[in-house]
């Protein structure tokens, strides 16, 4: 399952999990982190990588060009598979101007809201969907997809291009409800779905596990509240697997990595 989509409610810690997974997996092979959240600005800092010169949408000619190609594709083929990319798309063929960092860990942004009143982010969703569906991932290569908060990426069809959905659940009733909805949406798309608990303690962990179990949701990992990660995120420092390396490895092992 080389393409993993990490999702969750806002503030649950999904970007933190992406960064920790990326650091550990990069010790085994190549990792591409794909930022599909049009409003997230600090993921590259969490990874300790430079910002790419351009977004992927920018490399395709910008939002107007993408929208034009998308509309033409819908008119001609009655679908949204606009053929933004050539056949044989792989990690090795990615344009260097839209990826930050160096292998074994690189970072790509689909697109960002740059101006007031520029319109909706639907073209970015179409680019993300097409990119992930067409991207070929070889052995010892992984793609980690950091999504926007909530479940909009399911509606946009971004989930079609991934192999596994990992939901981050923090101690909140909203997170439990969202996990139940995401599980159903992943099932509709035919994708495996697991949950990772975050920011839990001795009181909240058993409660969350029980509530999720009643909904038939499988918990594959759990992380406690981490003051050092909170501080790093506050000042914009890169995250280190550090004390969480073994927990991350256990999580990856449970996912058969």
């Amino acid at each position: 399952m080389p393409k993993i989509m990490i999702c969750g409610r806002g503030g649950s810690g999904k970007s933190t999990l992406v960064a920790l997974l990326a650091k550990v997996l990069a010790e085994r092979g190549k990792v591409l982190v794909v930022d599909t959240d049009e409003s997230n600005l600090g993921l590259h800092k969490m990874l300790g990588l430079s910002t790419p010169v351009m977004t992927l949408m920018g490399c395709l000619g910008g939002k107007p060009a993408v929208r034009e190609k998308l509309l033409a594709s819908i008119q001609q083929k009655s679908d949204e598979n606009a053929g933004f990319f050539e056949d044989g798309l792989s990690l090795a063929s990615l344009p260097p101007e839209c990826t930050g960092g160096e292998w074994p860990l690189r970072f790509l942004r689909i697109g960002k809201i740059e101006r007031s009143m520029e319109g909706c982010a639907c073209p970015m969703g179409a680019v993300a969907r097409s990119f992930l569906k067409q991207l070929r991932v070889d052995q010892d290569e992984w793609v980690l997809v950091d999504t926007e908060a909530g479940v909009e990426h399911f509606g946009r069809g971004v989930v079609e291009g991934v192999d596994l959905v990992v939901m981050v659940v923090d101690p909140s009733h909203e997170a439990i409800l969202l996990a139940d909805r995401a599980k159903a949406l992943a099932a509709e798309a035919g994708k495996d779905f697991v949950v990772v608990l975050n920011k839990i303690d001795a009181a909240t962990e058993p409660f969350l596990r029980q509530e999720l179990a009643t909904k038939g949701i499988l918990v594959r990992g759990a992380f406690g509240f981490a003051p050092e990660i909170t501080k790093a995120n506050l000042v914009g420092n890169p995250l280190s697997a550090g004390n969480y390396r073994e927990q991350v490895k256990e999580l990856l092992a449970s996912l058969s990595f």
Side-chain angles (χ1 to χ4, degrees):
M1 295 179 286
K3 301 178 190 175
I4 310 171
M5 186 172 81
I6 292 88
C7 57
R9 79 182 190 106
S12 63
K14 55 188 176 60
S15 295
T16 294
L17 182 61
V18 167
L20 295 178
L21 289 171
K23 295 295 180 70
V24 174
L25 284 172
E27 298 171 359
R28 308 180 186 181
K30 291 183 178 179
V31 179
L32 176 69
V33 174
V34 179
D35 178 11
T36 67
D37 184 350
E38 61 274 0
S39 60
N40 182 11
L41 301 177
L43 182 56
H44 69 286
K45 287 185 173 293
M46 300 172 74
L47 295 166
L49 301 179
S50 59
T51 305
V53 176
M54 301 177 69
T55 64
L56 185 59
M57 178 172 283
C59 288
L60 294 173
K63 196 171 185 178
V66 168
R67 184 185 291 112
E68 182 178 346
K69 181 174 286 190
L70 182 60
L71 290 174
S73 177
I74 293 173
Q75 292 172 355
Q76 295 173 10
K77 303 179 183 178
S78 299
D79 63 29
E80 296 185 3
N81 186 14
F84 296 114
F85 308 99
E86 300 290 337
D87 292 338
L89 182 65
S90 67
L91 297 192
S93 67
L94 295 176
E97 60 269 24
C98 70
T99 57
E102 300 291 340
W103 297 121
L105 177 57
R106 306 202 76 166
F107 173 59
L108 178 147
R109 302 178 300 164
I110 296 296
K112 297 294 176 182
I113 297 294
E114 304 287 353
R115 288 171 293 278
S116 179
M117 307 298 291
E118 74 172 65
C120 75
C122 296
M124 300 176 198
V127 170
R129 175 187 177 187
S130 179
F131 174 71
L132 292 170
K133 286 180 68 175
Q134 292 185 242
L135 181 64
R136 187 187 75 244
V137 181
D138 294 327
Q139 187 174 357
D140 297 326
E141 295 181 348
W142 295 272
V143 176
L144 303 178
V145 184
D146 189 19
T147 64
E148 74 282 357
V151 294
E152 188 171 351
H153 37 280
F154 288 98
R156 292 179 178 179
V158 176
V159 68
E160 289 185 350
V162 304
D163 304 298
L164 172 68
V165 178
V166 177
M167 184 89 176
V168 180
V169 172
D170 64 321
S172 70
H173 185 62
E174 176 66 21
I176 296 171
L177 295 176
L178 195 63
D180 193 32
R181 175 64 59 84
K183 175 178 179 287
L185 294 172
E188 284 184 7
K191 306 297 179 179
D192 291 333
F193 176 86
V194 299
V195 155
V196 173
L197 304 182
N198 191 36
K199 303 180 183 179
I200 50 92
D201 57 25
T204 56
E205 181 176 4
F207 178 81
L208 287 173
R209 286 184 180 275
Q210 180 178 350
E211 290 296 304
L212 293 169
T214 62
K215 301 179 182 299
I217 296 175
L218 181 63
V219 175
R220 285 289 183 86
F223 294 83
F225 181 78
E228 65 273 24
I229 288 180
T230 299
K231 182 178 179 180
N233 284 334
L234 175 64
V235 299
N237 286 340
L239 301 186
S240 170
N243 297 332
Y244 308 95
R245 185 178 304 277
E246 292 307 314
Q247 284 180 270
V248 174
K249 287 182 176 179
E250 289 177 7
L251 172 60
L252 290 171
S254 76
L255 301 177
S256 299
F257 291 165

PDB file of all heavy atoms in Angstrom, residues 183-217:
ATOM      1  N   LYS A 183     -15.100   6.307   7.618  1.00  0.00           N
ATOM      2  CA  LYS A 183     -15.082   4.866   7.420  1.00  0.00           C
ATOM      3  C   LYS A 183     -16.084   4.459   6.342  1.00  0.00           C
ATOM      4  O   LYS A 183     -15.779   3.648   5.459  1.00  0.00           O
ATOM      5  CB  LYS A 183     -15.405   4.151   8.728  1.00  0.00           C
ATOM      6  CG  LYS A 183     -15.524   2.625   8.628  1.00  0.00           C
ATOM      7  CD  LYS A 183     -15.785   2.024   9.997  1.00  0.00           C
ATOM      8  CE  LYS A 183     -15.934   0.494   9.918  1.00  0.00           C
ATOM      9  NZ  LYS A 183     -17.212   0.113   9.299  1.00  0.00           N
ATOM     10  N   ALA A 184     -17.282   5.032   6.411  1.00  0.00           N
ATOM     11  CA  ALA A 184     -18.307   4.713   5.415  1.00  0.00           C
ATOM     12  C   ALA A 184     -17.901   5.201   4.023  1.00  0.00           C
ATOM     13  O   ALA A 184     -18.093   4.488   3.016  1.00  0.00           O
ATOM     14  CB  ALA A 184     -19.642   5.340   5.829  1.00  0.00           C
ATOM     15  N   LEU A 185     -17.315   6.389   3.955  1.00  0.00           N
ATOM     16  CA  LEU A 185     -16.902   6.938   2.665  1.00  0.00           C
ATOM     17  C   LEU A 185     -15.747   6.137   2.068  1.00  0.00           C
ATOM     18  O   LEU A 185     -15.707   5.906   0.850  1.00  0.00           O
ATOM     19  CB  LEU A 185     -16.499   8.404   2.833  1.00  0.00           C
ATOM     20  CG  LEU A 185     -17.629   9.361   3.223  1.00  0.00           C
ATOM     21  CD1 LEU A 185     -17.074  10.746   3.543  1.00  0.00           C
ATOM     22  CD2 LEU A 185     -18.663   9.458   2.100  1.00  0.00           C
ATOM     23  N   ALA A 186     -14.818   5.691   2.912  1.00  0.00           N
ATOM     24  CA  ALA A 186     -13.714   4.864   2.427  1.00  0.00           C
ATOM     25  C   ALA A 186     -14.237   3.528   1.902  1.00  0.00           C
ATOM     26  O   ALA A 186     -13.759   3.015   0.885  1.00  0.00           O
ATOM     27  CB  ALA A 186     -12.696   4.640   3.544  1.00  0.00           C
ATOM     28  N   ALA A 187     -15.231   2.969   2.595  1.00  0.00           N
ATOM     29  CA  ALA A 187     -15.820   1.704   2.153  1.00  0.00           C
ATOM     30  C   ALA A 187     -16.482   1.866   0.792  1.00  0.00           C
ATOM     31  O   ALA A 187     -16.378   0.986  -0.077  1.00  0.00           O
ATOM     32  CB  ALA A 187     -16.820   1.204   3.187  1.00  0.00           C
ATOM     33  N   GLU A 188     -17.169   2.988   0.590  1.00  0.00           N
ATOM     34  CA  GLU A 188     -17.803   3.248  -0.709  1.00  0.00           C
ATOM     35  C   GLU A 188     -16.763   3.295  -1.827  1.00  0.00           C
ATOM     36  O   GLU A 188     -17.032   2.896  -2.960  1.00  0.00           O
ATOM     37  CB  GLU A 188     -18.562   4.570  -0.660  1.00  0.00           C
ATOM     38  CG  GLU A 188     -19.875   4.522   0.093  1.00  0.00           C
ATOM     39  CD  GLU A 188     -20.619   5.843   0.014  1.00  0.00           C
ATOM     40  OE1 GLU A 188     -20.171   6.743  -0.740  1.00  0.00           O
ATOM     41  OE2 GLU A 188     -21.647   5.974   0.694  1.00  0.00           O
ATOM     42  N   ALA A 189     -15.577   3.816  -1.497  1.00  0.00           N
ATOM     43  CA  ALA A 189     -14.511   3.928  -2.492  1.00  0.00           C
ATOM     44  C   ALA A 189     -13.687   2.652  -2.601  1.00  0.00           C
ATOM     45  O   ALA A 189     -12.774   2.568  -3.431  1.00  0.00           O
ATOM     46  CB  ALA A 189     -13.596   5.102  -2.135  1.00  0.00           C
ATOM     47  N   GLY A 190     -13.994   1.650  -1.763  1.00  0.00           N
ATOM     48  CA  GLY A 190     -13.268   0.392  -1.807  1.00  0.00           C
ATOM     49  C   GLY A 190     -11.868   0.472  -1.245  1.00  0.00           C
ATOM     50  O   GLY A 190     -10.973  -0.254  -1.684  1.00  0.00           O
ATOM     51  N   LYS A 191     -11.660   1.344  -0.253  1.00  0.00           N
ATOM     52  CA  LYS A 191     -10.338   1.540   0.331  1.00  0.00           C
ATOM     53  C   LYS A 191     -10.294   1.045   1.775  1.00  0.00           C
ATOM     54  O   LYS A 191     -11.258   1.184   2.527  1.00  0.00           O
ATOM     55  CB  LYS A 191      -9.954   3.027   0.305  1.00  0.00           C
ATOM     56  CG  LYS A 191     -10.038   3.669  -1.066  1.00  0.00           C
ATOM     57  CD  LYS A 191      -9.058   3.033  -2.047  1.00  0.00           C
ATOM     58  CE  LYS A 191      -9.172   3.679  -3.425  1.00  0.00           C
ATOM     59  NZ  LYS A 191      -8.223   3.094  -4.392  1.00  0.00           N
ATOM     60  N   ASP A 192      -9.153   0.473   2.158  1.00  0.00           N
ATOM     61  CA  ASP A 192      -8.946   0.085   3.552  1.00  0.00           C
ATOM     62  C   ASP A 192      -8.908   1.326   4.425  1.00  0.00           C
ATOM     63  O   ASP A 192      -8.418   2.391   4.011  1.00  0.00           O
ATOM     64  CB  ASP A 192      -7.643  -0.698   3.700  1.00  0.00           C
ATOM     65  CG  ASP A 192      -7.718  -2.068   3.051  1.00  0.00           C
ATOM     66  OD1 ASP A 192      -8.831  -2.614   2.944  1.00  0.00           O
ATOM     67  OD2 ASP A 192      -6.660  -2.591   2.641  1.00  0.00           O
ATOM     68  N   PHE A 193      -9.382   1.169   5.664  1.00  0.00           N
ATOM     69  CA  PHE A 193      -9.511   2.318   6.571  1.00  0.00           C
ATOM     70  C   PHE A 193      -9.093   1.910   7.971  1.00  0.00           C
ATOM     71  O   PHE A 193      -9.553   0.885   8.491  1.00  0.00           O
ATOM     72  CB  PHE A 193     -10.966   2.801   6.586  1.00  0.00           C
ATOM     73  CG  PHE A 193     -11.244   3.920   7.552  1.00  0.00           C
ATOM     74  CD1 PHE A 193     -11.044   5.233   7.179  1.00  0.00           C
ATOM     75  CD2 PHE A 193     -11.728   3.649   8.831  1.00  0.00           C
ATOM     76  CE1 PHE A 193     -11.305   6.263   8.068  1.00  0.00           C
ATOM     77  CE2 PHE A 193     -11.993   4.669   9.721  1.00  0.00           C
ATOM     78  CZ  PHE A 193     -11.783   5.986   9.342  1.00  0.00           C
ATOM     79  N   VAL A 194      -8.191   2.684   8.569  1.00  0.00           N
ATOM     80  CA  VAL A 194      -7.771   2.445   9.952  1.00  0.00           C
ATOM     81  C   VAL A 194      -7.698   3.780  10.678  1.00  0.00           C
ATOM     82  O   VAL A 194      -7.675   4.847  10.055  1.00  0.00           O
ATOM     83  CB  VAL A 194      -6.408   1.728  10.039  1.00  0.00           C
ATOM     84  CG1 VAL A 194      -6.455   0.370   9.367  1.00  0.00           C
ATOM     85  CG2 VAL A 194      -5.295   2.591   9.455  1.00  0.00           C
ATOM     86  N   VAL A 195      -7.640   3.708  12.000  1.00  0.00           N
ATOM     87  CA  VAL A 195      -7.603   4.899  12.838  1.00  0.00           C
ATOM     88  C   VAL A 195      -6.346   4.890  13.697  1.00  0.00           C
ATOM     89  O   VAL A 195      -5.901   3.836  14.161  1.00  0.00           O
ATOM     90  CB  VAL A 195      -8.866   4.976  13.727  1.00  0.00           C
ATOM     91  CG1 VAL A 195      -8.617   5.783  14.995  1.00  0.00           C
ATOM     92  CG2 VAL A 195     -10.022   5.584  12.943  1.00  0.00           C
ATOM     93  N   VAL A 196      -5.785   6.074  13.891  1.00  0.00           N
ATOM     94  CA  VAL A 196      -4.690   6.283  14.831  1.00  0.00           C
ATOM     95  C   VAL A 196      -5.155   7.326  15.843  1.00  0.00           C
ATOM     96  O   VAL A 196      -5.621   8.400  15.463  1.00  0.00           O
ATOM     97  CB  VAL A 196      -3.420   6.775  14.113  1.00  0.00           C
ATOM     98  CG1 VAL A 196      -2.336   7.161  15.131  1.00  0.00           C
ATOM     99  CG2 VAL A 196      -2.894   5.719  13.160  1.00  0.00           C
ATOM    100  N   LEU A 197      -5.043   7.002  17.122  1.00  0.00           N
ATOM    101  CA  LEU A 197      -5.405   7.948  18.179  1.00  0.00           C
ATOM    102  C   LEU A 197      -4.245   8.903  18.435  1.00  0.00           C
ATOM    103  O   LEU A 197      -3.077   8.524  18.354  1.00  0.00           O
ATOM    104  CB  LEU A 197      -5.744   7.203  19.471  1.00  0.00           C
ATOM    105  CG  LEU A 197      -6.840   6.138  19.396  1.00  0.00           C
ATOM    106  CD1 LEU A 197      -7.076   5.543  20.779  1.00  0.00           C
ATOM    107  CD2 LEU A 197      -8.133   6.701  18.830  1.00  0.00           C
ATOM    108  N   ASN A 198      -4.586  10.150  18.769  1.00  0.00           N
ATOM    109  CA  ASN A 198      -3.547  11.139  19.042  1.00  0.00           C
ATOM    110  C   ASN A 198      -3.966  12.024  20.207  1.00  0.00           C
ATOM    111  O   ASN A 198      -5.169  12.245  20.436  1.00  0.00           O
ATOM    112  CB  ASN A 198      -3.292  11.998  17.796  1.00  0.00           C
ATOM    113  CG  ASN A 198      -2.045  12.847  17.931  1.00  0.00           C
ATOM    114  OD1 ASN A 198      -1.060  12.423  18.524  1.00  0.00           O
ATOM    115  ND2 ASN A 198      -2.080  14.049  17.402  1.00  0.00           N
ATOM    116  N   LYS A 199      -2.971  12.509  20.936  1.00  0.00           N
ATOM    117  CA  LYS A 199      -3.173  13.413  22.083  1.00  0.00           C
ATOM    118  C   LYS A 199      -3.973  12.748  23.203  1.00  0.00           C
ATOM    119  O   LYS A 199      -4.720  13.407  23.923  1.00  0.00           O
ATOM    120  CB  LYS A 199      -3.865  14.713  21.647  1.00  0.00           C
ATOM    121  CG  LYS A 199      -3.134  15.483  20.564  1.00  0.00           C
ATOM    122  CD  LYS A 199      -3.882  16.761  20.200  1.00  0.00           C
ATOM    123  CE  LYS A 199      -3.199  17.506  19.079  1.00  0.00           C
ATOM    124  NZ  LYS A 199      -3.924  18.743  18.702  1.00  0.00           N
ATOM    125  N   ILE A 200      -3.829  11.435  23.333  1.00  0.00           N
ATOM    126  CA  ILE A 200      -4.618  10.713  24.339  1.00  0.00           C
ATOM    127  C   ILE A 200      -3.859  10.605  25.656  1.00  0.00           C
ATOM    128  O   ILE A 200      -2.648  10.822  25.725  1.00  0.00           O
ATOM    129  CB  ILE A 200      -5.024   9.308  23.822  1.00  0.00           C
ATOM    130  CG1 ILE A 200      -3.795   8.559  23.260  1.00  0.00           C
ATOM    131  CG2 ILE A 200      -6.063   9.431  22.731  1.00  0.00           C
ATOM    132  CD1 ILE A 200      -3.085   7.701  24.219  1.00  0.00           C
ATOM    133  N   ASP A 201      -4.598  10.264  26.731  1.00  0.00           N
ATOM    134  CA  ASP A 201      -3.996   9.988  28.028  1.00  0.00           C
ATOM    135  C   ASP A 201      -4.687   8.759  28.614  1.00  0.00           C
ATOM    136  O   ASP A 201      -5.484   8.097  27.936  1.00  0.00           O
ATOM    137  CB  ASP A 201      -4.093  11.203  28.964  1.00  0.00           C
ATOM    138  CG  ASP A 201      -5.518  11.686  29.175  1.00  0.00           C
ATOM    139  OD1 ASP A 201      -6.466  10.869  29.022  1.00  0.00           O
ATOM    140  OD2 ASP A 201      -5.709  12.870  29.502  1.00  0.00           O
ATOM    141  N   ALA A 202      -4.400   8.467  29.874  1.00  0.00           N
ATOM    142  CA  ALA A 202      -4.920   7.246  30.490  1.00  0.00           C
ATOM    143  C   ALA A 202      -6.438   7.243  30.574  1.00  0.00           C
ATOM    144  O   ALA A 202      -7.068   6.176  30.605  1.00  0.00           O
ATOM    145  CB  ALA A 202      -4.323   7.073  31.894  1.00  0.00           C
ATOM    146  N   ALA A 203      -7.052   8.412  30.598  1.00  0.00           N
ATOM    147  CA  ALA A 203      -8.508   8.485  30.691  1.00  0.00           C
ATOM    148  C   ALA A 203      -9.179   8.464  29.326  1.00  0.00           C
ATOM    149  O   ALA A 203     -10.208   7.806  29.131  1.00  0.00           O
ATOM    150  CB  ALA A 203      -8.919   9.750  31.454  1.00  0.00           C
ATOM    151  N   THR A 204      -8.601   9.175  28.358  1.00  0.00           N
ATOM    152  CA  THR A 204      -9.268   9.315  27.062  1.00  0.00           C
ATOM    153  C   THR A 204      -9.046   8.125  26.132  1.00  0.00           C
ATOM    154  O   THR A 204      -9.900   7.816  25.301  1.00  0.00           O
ATOM    155  CB  THR A 204      -8.797  10.597  26.356  1.00  0.00           C
ATOM    156  OG1 THR A 204      -7.370  10.582  26.226  1.00  0.00           O
ATOM    157  CG2 THR A 204      -9.231  11.824  27.142  1.00  0.00           C
ATOM    158  N   GLU A 205      -7.900   7.434  26.257  1.00  0.00           N
ATOM    159  CA  GLU A 205      -7.631   6.325  25.337  1.00  0.00           C
ATOM    160  C   GLU A 205      -8.656   5.201  25.438  1.00  0.00           C
ATOM    161  O   GLU A 205      -9.217   4.797  24.396  1.00  0.00           O
ATOM    162  CB  GLU A 205      -6.223   5.767  25.552  1.00  0.00           C
ATOM    163  CG  GLU A 205      -5.918   4.623  24.586  1.00  0.00           C
ATOM    164  CD  GLU A 205      -4.500   4.098  24.710  1.00  0.00           C
ATOM    165  OE1 GLU A 205      -3.759   4.565  25.597  1.00  0.00           O
ATOM    166  OE2 GLU A 205      -4.131   3.210  23.913  1.00  0.00           O
ATOM    167  N   PRO A 206      -8.948   4.663  26.636  1.00  0.00           N
ATOM    168  CA  PRO A 206      -9.928   3.567  26.688  1.00  0.00           C
ATOM    169  C   PRO A 206     -11.317   4.004  26.244  1.00  0.00           C
ATOM    170  O   PRO A 206     -12.049   3.218  25.632  1.00  0.00           O
ATOM    171  CB  PRO A 206      -9.912   3.131  28.157  1.00  0.00           C
ATOM    172  CG  PRO A 206      -9.311   4.262  28.901  1.00  0.00           C
ATOM    173  CD  PRO A 206      -8.353   4.909  27.962  1.00  0.00           C
ATOM    174  N   PHE A 207     -11.673   5.256  26.533  1.00  0.00           N
ATOM    175  CA  PHE A 207     -12.990   5.748  26.106  1.00  0.00           C
ATOM    176  C   PHE A 207     -13.073   5.794  24.579  1.00  0.00           C
ATOM    177  O   PHE A 207     -14.065   5.334  23.989  1.00  0.00           O
ATOM    178  CB  PHE A 207     -13.251   7.138  26.687  1.00  0.00           C
ATOM    179  CG  PHE A 207     -14.557   7.730  26.247  1.00  0.00           C
ATOM    180  CD1 PHE A 207     -15.743   7.373  26.869  1.00  0.00           C
ATOM    181  CD2 PHE A 207     -14.602   8.635  25.192  1.00  0.00           C
ATOM    182  CE1 PHE A 207     -16.962   7.915  26.451  1.00  0.00           C
ATOM    183  CE2 PHE A 207     -15.811   9.177  24.767  1.00  0.00           C
ATOM    184  CZ  PHE A 207     -16.991   8.817  25.403  1.00  0.00           C
ATOM    185  N   LEU A 208     -12.043   6.350  23.940  1.00  0.00           N
ATOM    186  CA  LEU A 208     -12.052   6.432  22.479  1.00  0.00           C
ATOM    187  C   LEU A 208     -12.064   5.044  21.849  1.00  0.00           C
ATOM    188  O   LEU A 208     -12.794   4.801  20.878  1.00  0.00           O
ATOM    189  CB  LEU A 208     -10.833   7.214  21.989  1.00  0.00           C
ATOM    190  CG  LEU A 208     -10.849   8.727  22.203  1.00  0.00           C
ATOM    191  CD1 LEU A 208      -9.497   9.326  21.825  1.00  0.00           C
ATOM    192  CD2 LEU A 208     -11.956   9.382  21.396  1.00  0.00           C
ATOM    193  N   ARG A 209     -11.275   4.142  22.378  1.00  0.00           N
ATOM    194  CA  ARG A 209     -11.235   2.785  21.828  1.00  0.00           C
ATOM    195  C   ARG A 209     -12.606   2.115  21.928  1.00  0.00           C
ATOM    196  O   ARG A 209     -13.047   1.435  20.989  1.00  0.00           O
ATOM    197  CB  ARG A 209     -10.178   1.953  22.554  1.00  0.00           C
ATOM    198  CG  ARG A 209      -8.739   2.305  22.172  1.00  0.00           C
ATOM    199  CD  ARG A 209      -7.744   1.383  22.857  1.00  0.00           C
ATOM    200  NE  ARG A 209      -6.368   1.690  22.514  1.00  0.00           N
ATOM    201  CZ  ARG A 209      -5.729   1.230  21.440  1.00  0.00           C
ATOM    202  NH1 ARG A 209      -6.357   0.392  20.602  1.00  0.00           N
ATOM    203  NH2 ARG A 209      -4.470   1.547  21.210  1.00  0.00           N
ATOM    204  N   GLN A 210     -13.278   2.298  23.064  1.00  0.00           N
ATOM    205  CA  GLN A 210     -14.595   1.685  23.243  1.00  0.00           C
ATOM    206  C   GLN A 210     -15.615   2.285  22.279  1.00  0.00           C
ATOM    207  O   GLN A 210     -16.399   1.554  21.654  1.00  0.00           O
ATOM    208  CB  GLN A 210     -15.066   1.878  24.685  1.00  0.00           C
ATOM    209  CG  GLN A 210     -16.443   1.267  24.968  1.00  0.00           C
ATOM    210  CD  GLN A 210     -16.863   1.433  26.413  1.00  0.00           C
ATOM    211  OE1 GLN A 210     -16.078   1.833  27.258  1.00  0.00           O
ATOM    212  NE2 GLN A 210     -18.108   1.115  26.702  1.00  0.00           N
ATOM    213  N   GLU A 211     -15.622   3.614  22.170  1.00  0.00           N
ATOM    214  CA  GLU A 211     -16.576   4.276  21.274  1.00  0.00           C
ATOM    215  C   GLU A 211     -16.348   3.879  19.818  1.00  0.00           C
ATOM    216  O   GLU A 211     -17.301   3.630  19.071  1.00  0.00           O
ATOM    217  CB  GLU A 211     -16.461   5.797  21.426  1.00  0.00           C
ATOM    218  CG  GLU A 211     -16.981   6.336  22.740  1.00  0.00           C
ATOM    219  CD  GLU A 211     -18.469   6.103  22.895  1.00  0.00           C
ATOM    220  OE1 GLU A 211     -19.233   6.531  22.011  1.00  0.00           O
ATOM    221  OE2 GLU A 211     -18.863   5.464  23.894  1.00  0.00           O
ATOM    222  N   LEU A 212     -15.106   3.819  19.418  1.00  0.00           N
ATOM    223  CA  LEU A 212     -14.797   3.447  18.040  1.00  0.00           C
ATOM    224  C   LEU A 212     -15.095   1.976  17.781  1.00  0.00           C
ATOM    225  O   LEU A 212     -15.557   1.613  16.688  1.00  0.00           O
ATOM    226  CB  LEU A 212     -13.327   3.760  17.729  1.00  0.00           C
ATOM    227  CG  LEU A 212     -12.972   5.250  17.716  1.00  0.00           C
ATOM    228  CD1 LEU A 212     -11.459   5.438  17.666  1.00  0.00           C
ATOM    229  CD2 LEU A 212     -13.626   5.957  16.540  1.00  0.00           C
ATOM    230  N   ALA A 213     -14.856   1.127  18.776  1.00  0.00           N
ATOM    231  CA  ALA A 213     -15.141  -0.303  18.626  1.00  0.00           C
ATOM    232  C   ALA A 213     -16.622  -0.548  18.389  1.00  0.00           C
ATOM    233  O   ALA A 213     -17.002  -1.438  17.613  1.00  0.00           O
ATOM    234  CB  ALA A 213     -14.671  -1.065  19.855  1.00  0.00           C
ATOM    235  N   THR A 214     -17.483   0.229  19.048  1.00  0.00           N
ATOM    236  CA  THR A 214     -18.927   0.059  18.845  1.00  0.00           C
ATOM    237  C   THR A 214     -19.341   0.399  17.422  1.00  0.00           C
ATOM    238  O   THR A 214     -20.406  -0.014  16.972  1.00  0.00           O
ATOM    239  CB  THR A 214     -19.721   0.947  19.826  1.00  0.00           C
ATOM    240  OG1 THR A 214     -19.423   2.323  19.569  1.00  0.00           O
ATOM    241  CG2 THR A 214     -19.384   0.608  21.262  1.00  0.00           C
ATOM    242  N   LYS A 215     -18.506   1.164  16.729  1.00  0.00           N
ATOM    243  CA  LYS A 215     -18.777   1.535  15.340  1.00  0.00           C
ATOM    244  C   LYS A 215     -18.001   0.661  14.359  1.00  0.00           C
ATOM    245  O   LYS A 215     -18.001   0.932  13.150  1.00  0.00           O
ATOM    246  CB  LYS A 215     -18.443   3.017  15.127  1.00  0.00           C
ATOM    247  CG  LYS A 215     -19.223   3.962  16.032  1.00  0.00           C
ATOM    248  CD  LYS A 215     -18.840   5.404  15.807  1.00  0.00           C
ATOM    249  CE  LYS A 215     -19.577   6.336  16.751  1.00  0.00           C
ATOM    250  NZ  LYS A 215     -21.039   6.268  16.573  1.00  0.00           N
ATOM    251  N   GLY A 216     -17.332  -0.353  14.891  1.00  0.00           N
ATOM    252  CA  GLY A 216     -16.576  -1.262  14.031  1.00  0.00           C
ATOM    253  C   GLY A 216     -15.334  -0.649  13.433  1.00  0.00           C
ATOM    254  O   GLY A 216     -14.893  -1.047  12.346  1.00  0.00           O
ATOM    255  N   ILE A 217     -14.731   0.303  14.130  1.00  0.00           N
ATOM    256  CA  ILE A 217     -13.554   1.012  13.620  1.00  0.00           C
ATOM    257  C   ILE A 217     -12.297   0.469  14.285  1.00  0.00           C
ATOM    258  O   ILE A 217     -12.206   0.411  15.512  1.00  0.00           O
ATOM    259  CB  ILE A 217     -13.681   2.529  13.871  1.00  0.00           C
ATOM    260  CG1 ILE A 217     -14.879   3.079  13.084  1.00  0.00           C
ATOM    261  CG2 ILE A 217     -12.408   3.247  13.461  1.00  0.00           C
ATOM    262  CD1 ILE A 217     -15.173   4.531  13.345  1.00  0.00           C
TER     263      ILE A 217
END
